[in-house]
Amino acid sequence: MNASGVWCRTEAELDELIKSSASTFVTKSSTLEFREGNPEPRYVDLELGSINSMGLPNLGIDFYLNYSIKNNQKENFLSVAGLTREENLEMLEKVQNSEFSGLLELNLSCPNVIGKPQVGYDFDATKSLLEEVFSVYKKPLGVKLPPYFDIVHFQQIAEILNQFPLKFVTCVNSIGNGLFIDTDSEKVVIKPKNGFGGIGGKYIKPTALANVRQFYTLLNPEIKVIGCGGIENGKDAFEHILCGASMLQVGTQLMKEGMSAFDRIEKELREIMKQKGYSTIEDFKGKLQSL
Ligand code: RRO
């Protein structure tokens, strides 16, 4: 499927995802009300990936919720990213009381809203938010995590996540607050936040794989891992699955290539599987070997 944020903000974009060969899709992270987002330029393709500081532009929860209910040919993921605990709970109550029958991806990791730190880096806040979330929300729910970089942090956050009936975690959101510079002009390339933004694409694949692997190893097996980060071709997809991913999301490459990325990546993955003699995903999922 797409990664949340990529080609999933407007009705026309979502219609394209529905028609594509992706098995499902996820909507742009939503807030209670429409948001314009940060000033442009706010997304730039880079040689090895992308940088963005979109600032959560979206049409508001009602739009994405109604779209998901109306277009249920594909049971989709609805992404929610309230800027406060109250906003998240209000949106979840709305979804709980609706006919929505897909999965909710609660975004704990938007790096680009000025003055709002990524919830997933505050372990106490994550735990208390999840306690409240599961007291109001009874449908299938998972969380979109920021990338972690320290073994102790993986253990600490996994211990918290294991206390909740999560259906999945999505690893990872962009690596927050990177800085890309145009050497010729001696300028940054995006306008918001003096050029600081979330990094995606090739730059982040090793970090994404590390996160998929750690959470696959540390989480209860009922909590599935969705891999996201640097998937450009069949080999990248294979590596994510080898680390333990059960589903895959494509972000930067989908922006660069459009819908044909899904078919191409799947075809390349099937080719690798054939060469290796694997007939199903289960033949190699999670089976990464150590030396
Ligand atoms: O809209 C954004 O700036 C954004 C979000 Br909500 C997110 O979760 N990840 C990202 O890279 N950008």
Side-chain angles (χ1 to χ4, degrees):
M1 73 176 103
N2 62 307
S4 180
V6 177
W7 220 262
C8 57
R9 183 157 56 104
T10 65
E11 183 156 5
E13 289 173 351
L14 288 162
D15 286 347
E16 275 195 70
L17 284 174
I18 286 201
K19 279 192 251 127
S20 79
S21 60
S23 62
T24 182
F25 65 93
V26 55
T27 57
K28 171 66 187 170
S29 290
S30 59
T31 48
L32 261 181
E33 307 293 340
F34 168 91
R35 273 175 68 88
E36 195 74 61
N38 290 340
E40 297 188 7
R42 58 191 186 179
Y43 183 101
V44 171
D45 267 326
L46 309 173
E47 194 190 336
L48 300 177
S50 62
I51 185 168
N52 89 84
S53 183
M54 304 298 289
L56 208 33
N58 78 91
L59 303 179
I61 182 73
D62 288 341
F63 169 77
Y64 300 105
L65 182 55
N66 291 333
Y67 186 91
S68 302
I69 293 169
K70 247 187 352 208
N71 297 277
N72 57 3
Q73 305 103 296
K74 285 184 177 172
E75 189 156 88
N76 68 288
F77 291 67
L78 181 66
S79 174
V80 162
L83 300 184
T84 60
R85 165 195 156 276
E86 291 76 14
E87 188 178 12
N88 273 321
L89 295 175
E90 198 173 326
M91 286 192 283
L92 290 179
E93 249 170 82
K94 240 181 212 283
V95 183
Q96 175 66 35
N97 295 328
S98 75
E99 286 167 39
F100 178 69
S101 61
L103 295 101
L104 197 133
E105 185 180 81
L106 179 63
N107 186 352
L108 301 180
S109 47
C110 174
N112 299 329
V113 178
I114 294 157
K116 294 282 174 192
Q118 292 165 82
V119 179
Y121 286 143
D122 181 335
F123 296 170
D124 292 338
T126 297
K127 186 174 177 193
S128 58
L129 178 61
L130 288 178
E131 279 165 357
E132 294 192 272
V133 160
F134 282 106
S135 73
V136 300
Y137 197 75
K138 309 294 177 192
K139 295 178 180 180
L141 177 141
V143 288
K144 174 89 170 261
L145 296 173
Y148 297 95
F149 302 93
D150 189 287
I151 299 297
V152 170
H153 291 167
F154 284 119
Q155 291 163 346
Q156 289 170 339
I157 190 72
E159 194 198 323
I160 292 169
L161 298 172
N162 274 334
Q163 294 167 29
F164 296 98
L166 290 160
K167 288 284 182 250
F168 66 91
V169 297
T170 304
C171 305
V172 292
N173 208 318
S174 56
I175 294 185
N177 297 295
L179 187 60
F180 192 84
I181 295 167
D182 178 61
T183 327
D184 291 340
S185 66
E186 303 178 13
K187 284 181 178 159
V188 300
V189 298
I190 54 172
K191 189 174 172 77
K193 293 174 68 178
N194 297 320
F196 287 79
I199 306 295
K202 255 198 216 323
Y203 294 112
I204 79 164
K205 190 178 74 169
T207 296
L209 292 175
N211 277 260
V212 169
R213 187 64 183 165
Q214 284 284 346
F215 286 109
Y216 178 75
T217 310
L218 294 169
L219 293 179
N220 303 331
E222 298 78 44
I223 307 178
K224 300 300 174 204
V225 180
I226 300 180
C228 181
I231 301 178
E232 294 183 358
N233 55 41
K235 181 171 166 290
D236 302 322
F238 183 84
E239 291 173 8
H240 267 264
I241 297 168
L242 199 61
C243 286
S246 292
M247 289 186 84
L248 304 174
Q249 296 182 347
V250 184
T252 298
Q253 187 60 28
L254 183 62
M255 271 300 274
K256 286 185 204 255
E257 182 180 342
M259 298 303 133
S260 63
F262 295 122
D263 274 334
R264 180 184 56 75
I265 294 169
E266 184 181 335
K267 197 163 142 255
E268 292 167 0
L269 174 61
R270 283 185 190 282
E271 194 51 43
I272 293 171
M273 288 172 61
K274 199 168 131 205
Q275 278 164 16
K276 288 176 175 281
Y278 295 139
S279 48
T280 71
I281 295 290
E282 296 305 323
D283 290 343
F284 62 100
K285 187 177 109 183
K287 296 192 177 161
L288 178 68
Q289 299 174 51
S290 297
L291 299 184

